[in-house]
Amino acid sequence: MTATITPRAGAAHARILGVGGYRPARIVPNSELVDRIDSSDEWIQSRSGIRTRRWASPEETVAEMSVAAAGKALAHAGLDASQVGCVIVSTVTHLKQTPAIATEIAHRLGAGGGRAAAFDVSAACAGFCYGVSLASDMVRGGSAEYVLVIGVERLSDLTNLSDRGTAFIFGDGAGAVVIGPSNTPGIGPVVWGSDGSQSEAITQTVDWNDLRDDREQEFPTLKMEGQKVFRWAVWEMAKVCEQALDAAGVKAEDLDAFIPHQANMRITDAMIKALKLPPEVPVARDIAENGNTSAASIPLAMERMLESGEAVSGGTALIMGFGAGLVYAGQVITLP
């Protein structure tokens, strides 16, 4: 006979309960980079909005930064790591194929008493939003009561300092949130997708097979077709933002904050214009001081806005990530 499977019941709703970030100590101004790319501070700021970025020291590893950010998020949520049932880490700069860095982070935190599920997500700059969606579904589906989502990058490891198109863009850091049960909806439906036909728009210069077969190859770095990515982000991501707002039943004027991936200040400005976002809605501009930190950029910007009072706890925010793949994801959330 066929047995009946008993489904697991989770919480009615999920929300972000706490947020934390880690920014490396070293601040790198544009002036350190301009000579190698025949540029200037003014040119970099006009192209990207970036004034400085943070680069990690050898001791500030992906795991170290993640543990520090996660500890702050747990403290903000008022939870102990032993209560975490799963750890999701979004990164493209853990330079070891296996095991997933999430397992080391979960172990060091003592997540779930050392028994928490743990896995990595490779979705570039959209990875944090991917993780938030997965965690929300897990909490509501009953597979975990509390989920730790971390976005972390050491992009300085993959940056070609002689590449005029990318040398000034990337930074390092980690951001984390704790997602758990809620009596009211705190995470809206995700709107996500990908366009693999443009996968070469942002990629690494050499794949691992080439590096293995030709030991004379230089170590891989990131390369980007800047204009192609800019046009795609400006024209397509505003539409995704609108879809995420519609899916959550929220209007742009209802927002208390807009926290897009910190890719480029001009892209952010274009999305604001396309969304007809009211001028009184605060917008994250963490890129000016931290550069583009890929998967870490949204939680880092969220933490900064809350700490500065620019955004308020319990407010409604739209988060939106997009990047290599090309991939994208966005959802409306209640701020922790």
Side-chain angles (χ1 to χ4, degrees):
M1 61 180 290
T2 301
T4 300
I5 296 173
T6 302
R8 182 179 287 176
H13 308 288
R15 66 169 291 165
I16 298 175
L17 303 174
V19 61
Y22 180 87
R23 301 167 191 268
R26 183 185 173 198
I27 299 173
V28 181
N30 291 337
S31 58
E32 284 194 30
L33 307 176
V34 294
D35 289 345
R36 291 184 63 171
I37 57 173
D38 187 25
S39 184
S40 67
D41 175 57
E42 292 77 16
W43 184 85
I44 292 173
Q45 290 199 48
S46 68
R47 297 280 294 180
S48 66
I50 299 171
R51 296 191 296 267
T52 63
R53 73 283 296 141
R54 302 290 185 104
W55 285 354
S57 68
E59 292 75 27
E60 291 171 313
T61 64
V62 167
E64 289 289 344
M65 293 191 293
S66 296
V67 169
K72 290 177 68 177
L74 287 164
H76 187 201
L79 295 171
D80 186 83
S82 63
Q83 297 172 265
V84 173
C86 182
V87 177
I88 302 172
V89 176
S90 176
T91 184
V92 296
T93 50
H94 169 49
L95 302 182
K96 182 183 281 188
Q97 200 70 39
T98 192
I101 194 63
T103 58
E104 177 184 340
I105 294 165
H107 170 71
R108 291 179 57 176
L109 289 169
R115 306 291 291 179
F119 60 93
D120 293 354
V121 172
S122 179
C125 308
F128 175 74
C129 293
Y130 273 50
V132 168
S133 177
L134 293 171
S136 175
D137 288 350
M138 292 172 72
V139 170
R140 292 184 294 111
S143 56
E145 184 176 12
Y146 299 103
V147 181
L148 183 62
V149 178
I150 301 169
V152 58
E153 303 291 5
R154 271 181 57 113
L155 289 161
S156 58
D157 289 337
L158 295 178
T159 298
N160 178 356
L161 296 181
S162 299
D163 180 1
R164 186 176 172 85
T166 60
F168 59 89
I169 293 175
F170 300 115
D172 302 336
V177 296
V178 180
I179 293 175
S182 173
N183 292 327
T184 57
I187 299 174
V190 67
V191 174
W192 57 1
S194 65
D195 181 2
S197 69
Q198 300 194 72
S199 61
E200 293 300 310
I202 309 173
T203 186
Q204 68 182 48
T205 52
V206 179
D207 69 33
W208 302 122
N209 279 331
D210 292 340
L211 195 65
R212 179 189 60 191
D213 296 339
D214 181 1
R215 298 303 174 90
E216 299 302 314
Q217 285 272 12
E218 292 186 2
F219 193 78
T221 56
L222 294 172
K223 63 177 182 178
M224 179 170 60
E225 297 178 37
Q227 286 303 311
K228 178 182 286 188
V229 174
F230 183 87
R231 288 193 297 269
W232 173 77
V234 166
W235 294 110
E236 298 300 326
M237 293 307 97
K239 299 175 187 177
V240 176
C241 287
E242 291 172 345
Q243 292 167 11
L245 289 169
D246 288 344
V250 172
K251 297 180 180 178
E253 56 265 31
D254 298 327
L255 292 174
D256 298 299
F258 177 39
I259 312 177
H261 163 52
Q262 301 295 284
N264 183 298
M265 200 80 81
R266 291 192 300 155
I267 292 175
T268 297
D269 288 339
M271 286 196 290
I272 291 170
K273 184 177 180 180
L275 285 169
K276 297 181 174 60
L277 202 66
E280 62 270 19
V281 176
V283 178
R285 297 189 182 276
D286 194 53
I287 190 172
E289 296 179 6
N290 222 50
N292 177 341
T293 56
S294 188
S297 79
I298 292 174
L300 282 173
M302 183 189 303
E303 181 196 46
R304 173 164 283 175
M305 293 185 81
L306 288 168
E307 286 184 343
S308 68
E310 193 176 5
V312 295
S313 175
T316 302
L318 171 63
I319 60 175
M320 171 68 202
F322 52 90
L326 295 168
V327 295
Y328 57 87
Q331 58 263 86
V332 174
I333 62 164
T334 300
L335 291 167

